[in-house]
Amino acid sequence: MPELTLIAQNALPQGVVTTLAGTRVEVLPMRRLSALMPGPDAGPLAEALMAQHGLGLPAPGSVEHAEQAECLWFGIGQYLLIGPAPAPDLAEAATLTDQSDAWASVLLEGPRARHVLARLCPLDLRARAFAPGATARTELAHMGASVTRTGPDGFRVMVFRSMAETLLHELRAALEAVAARGMV
């Protein structure tokens, strides 16, 4: 019997951009995503993450950045390493799961980005409540999502890969509605 080989592919065409009223929705390229679950003692993971990747372990609701890597809080006792393959030492400090083909990522950026997301999710997205570097797991148009503020007018939205087309549809429809109202 021939061997079956599965190859992960992005659920959406990478680099596709929709721009309306100065706000854009861009499909981000696939990157390596590794779930890190340390169990009750996160200390060894924090040490290994710093030693191997130059990243601190993020506090709840936050993100840590290094030159080529990022680690975001992904829920209680869960973190997501974005970018590099996890160093072998991390496997001794946490349970690791490759999530690279499980999620689709989109960047929503521009003066209407916050208003677009406000139509789709229950987070308080004002800068004083959700500053750049903040991240949250939330519901977005009835989909489980991760929303990370990437800058003053930017948000990375991640949903399960199976919901990628729905995410793009919902973001585009909300952007059209916000632009039609002239909201800034």
Side-chain angles (χ1 to χ4, degrees):
M1 177 177 230
E3 220 176 278
L4 178 64
T5 303
L6 300 176
I7 299 171
Q9 296 180 1
N10 199 339
L12 299 168
Q14 298 178 43
V16 168
V17 176
T18 299
T19 303
L20 185 60
T23 300
R24 64 194 211 119
V25 177
E26 177 185 356
V27 177
L28 295 173
M30 286 182 72
R31 293 180 68 193
R32 174 105 185 203
L33 305 173
S34 302
L36 312 173
M37 293 164 281
D41 182 10
L45 176 60
E47 291 173 13
L49 199 56
M50 181 56 75
Q52 299 299 318
H53 296 288
L55 288 164
L57 199 60
S62 66
V63 179
E64 292 285 328
H65 297 274
E67 191 171 315
Q68 296 294 318
E70 164 176 18
C71 187
L72 62 97
W73 178 83
F74 215 52
I76 297 172
Q78 298 179 49
Y79 305 91
L80 190 68
L81 177 63
I82 301 173
D89 290 357
L90 295 182
E92 296 173 18
T95 300
L96 307 179
T97 308
D98 185 358
Q99 297 285 310
S100 302
D101 63 350
W103 295 88
S105 300
V106 172
L107 179 66
L108 177 64
E109 193 170 49
R112 292 176 170 86
R114 181 173 65 88
H115 297 286
V116 170
L117 282 182
R119 287 178 170 255
L120 302 173
C121 79
L123 295 175
D124 181 352
L125 298 167
R126 292 174 294 178
R128 70 175 179 257
F130 201 73
T135 190
R137 293 291 295 268
T138 188
E139 177 221 332
L140 190 136
H142 305 291
M143 296 175 277
S146 170
V147 176
T148 303
R149 190 160 203 159
T150 59
D153 290 324
F155 299 88
R156 178 181 53 221
V157 179
M158 295 171 57
V159 297
F160 289 117
R161 182 180 161 188
S162 62
M163 302 309 243
E165 288 184 25
T166 302
L167 172 65
L168 271 187
H169 170 80
E170 294 294 337
L171 287 173
R172 288 173 176 157
L175 178 56
E176 288 173 3
V178 167
R181 293 189 56 142
M183 300 172 81
V184 178

